[in-house]
Amino acid sequence: MGIYRAGATGTGGTGGAAVQVTFQVSASTYFGQGVYLVGDRAELGAWNTASALAMTPSGCSGSTCTWKTTVSLPPSVAAQFKFIKKPGDSGASVTWEGGSNRTLTTPATGSTTYNGGNWQ
């Protein structure tokens, strides 16, 4: 884990060790499709779907799984993000979840979990 210093990289934060943020969402997918996390920070892919973070499925029931990923982020920073679905083949398009961007502020220390609820 790196140390983040306020203003050192232009990413904000209050300094100190990175915090661990676990993102999770329950989502239905088809065979070969995955759920990814993408957002406004470099650690979240900087809104570039090609750089989105793959999430890992667990607790599946039929085509619905709980998808999770854990990301190291600077402490005490605001982030905007969305969950997306990407197909296994390169010819199909990315599906963005609807609505406004999701937001969170990371804790000053430790870790947190963001529960994204159900996305069908």
Side-chain angles (χ1 to χ4, degrees), residues 3 7-8 19 62 97 110:
I3 300 295
V19 296
E97 68 172 317

Side-chain angles (χ1 to χ4, degrees), residues 20-72:
Q20 300 300 302
V21 180
T22 298
F23 295 86
Q24 66 183 33
V25 64
S26 176
S28 294
T29 57
Y30 59 79
F31 182 77
Q33 185 181 44
V35 177
Y36 294 75
L37 172 70
V38 67
D40 65 345
R41 302 189 51 81
E43 300 92 341
L44 302 176
W47 293 122
N48 181 347
T49 60
S51 299
L53 305 173
M55 301 180 78
T56 304
S58 65
C60 299
S61 176
S63 64
T64 302
C65 299
T66 298
W67 295 80
K68 295 181 182 182
T69 191
T70 300
V71 182
S72 293

Side-chain angles (χ1 to χ4, degrees), residues 83-117:
F83 299 108
I84 61 174
K85 295 177 184 176
K86 289 173 52 171
D89 59 23
S90 60
S93 62
V94 171
T95 302
W96 289 78
E97 68 172 317
S100 300
N101 294 341
R102 295 174 183 258
T103 61
L104 71 78
T105 299
T106 60
T109 60
S111 62
T112 191
T113 297
Y114 180 92
N115 186 344

